[in-house]
Amino acid sequence: MGLSDVLASNILVRWLRGDPGRYELLTRMIGARLGDRMVSVGSGDPGLVAAIARVTGLSGRAVACAAAPDETQRLEAAAEAIGVLVEVVETPLATLPFEDADFDLALVDAASAPFAALLPELRRILRPGGRVVLVVRLKVPGAPSPAEVHAATSTRFRGARILFERDGVAIVEALKGQSAPD
């Protein structure tokens, strides 16, 4: 185990324990950038949504989709706690209320959202070249495996890959192709 593995493990352990700064590694792995237009689906970890909104900044857009009023409250509280702007939209997840190609990045909590059913909608609202990032929290009862998430994502997106798998968390990333038919 190299020094980078030790540092990554320590950051991930802090995240799992709920310590401040616990999202540092995941936000780096997700790769959101200043000015990105990001949509989040699945509120399994509202703090992560708020942390990504901090990265996209005021020049970007951070939207979180909530399926129920309690999710809305958790997402708004997490954003307020760190002082970031997150637009929370309460909506059924089957048809997201956004225009085609509205977003650069889609963040999905695969344990709390019906990720496989969402993939066509996510593909529609992502711009060509946009990315979908699925966070798989493996310690959540009933959570899918990274292989399941990867296989489902591969059917709708290009270059699906498991970026990270460690200590009960995995990240699967894929790209929407540049051309319309893809």
Side-chain angles (χ1 to χ4, degrees):
M1 179 183 287
L3 181 58
S4 63
D5 290 330
V6 171
L7 292 174
S9 179
N10 287 338
I11 292 168
L12 190 57
V13 167
R14 287 195 333 245
W15 174 69
L16 292 170
R17 289 185 181 159
D19 294 340
R22 63 188 178 260
Y23 299 109
E24 189 176 337
L25 176 63
L26 288 177
T27 55
R28 278 194 230 145
M29 294 298 295
I30 290 167
R33 295 180 303 259
L34 185 65
D36 274 354
R37 297 166 298 155
M38 183 271 298
V39 63
S40 170
V41 182
S43 65
D45 190 346
L48 179 59
V49 175
I52 298 297
R54 176 182 278 164
V55 173
T56 61
L58 291 175
S59 62
R61 179 180 183 202
V63 178
C65 296
D70 63 316
E71 288 182 25
T72 299
Q73 292 171 344
R74 287 194 315 268
L75 287 160
E76 289 173 345
E80 186 178 323
I82 66 168
V84 296
L85 181 61
V86 175
E87 176 187 342
V88 181
V89 177
E90 211 168 293
T91 181
L93 301 180
T95 306
L96 299 174
F98 306 111
E99 298 294 322
D100 295 357
D102 249 1
F103 295 95
D104 304 303
L105 173 66
L107 176 67
V108 180
D109 183 283
S112 66
F115 74 92
L118 280 168
L119 292 174
E121 266 302 277
L122 294 173
R123 181 173 170 67
R124 180 185 68 79
I125 66 172
L126 279 173
R127 67 167 173 77
R131 295 179 307 121
V132 61
V133 176
L134 299 101
V135 177
V136 184
R137 295 176 300 124
L138 300 172
K139 294 181 181 182
V140 173
S145 72
E148 290 173 286
V149 174
H150 176 265
T153 306
S154 295
T155 64
R156 299 272 180 190
F157 292 87
R158 290 187 176 169
R161 62 190 176 139
I162 298 173
L163 283 180
F164 178 86
E165 187 174 355
R166 173 187 235 132
D167 300 326
V169 176
I171 296 176
V172 176
E173 175 194 58
L175 302 172
K176 179 176 177 181
Q178 294 289 339
S179 63
D182 200 24

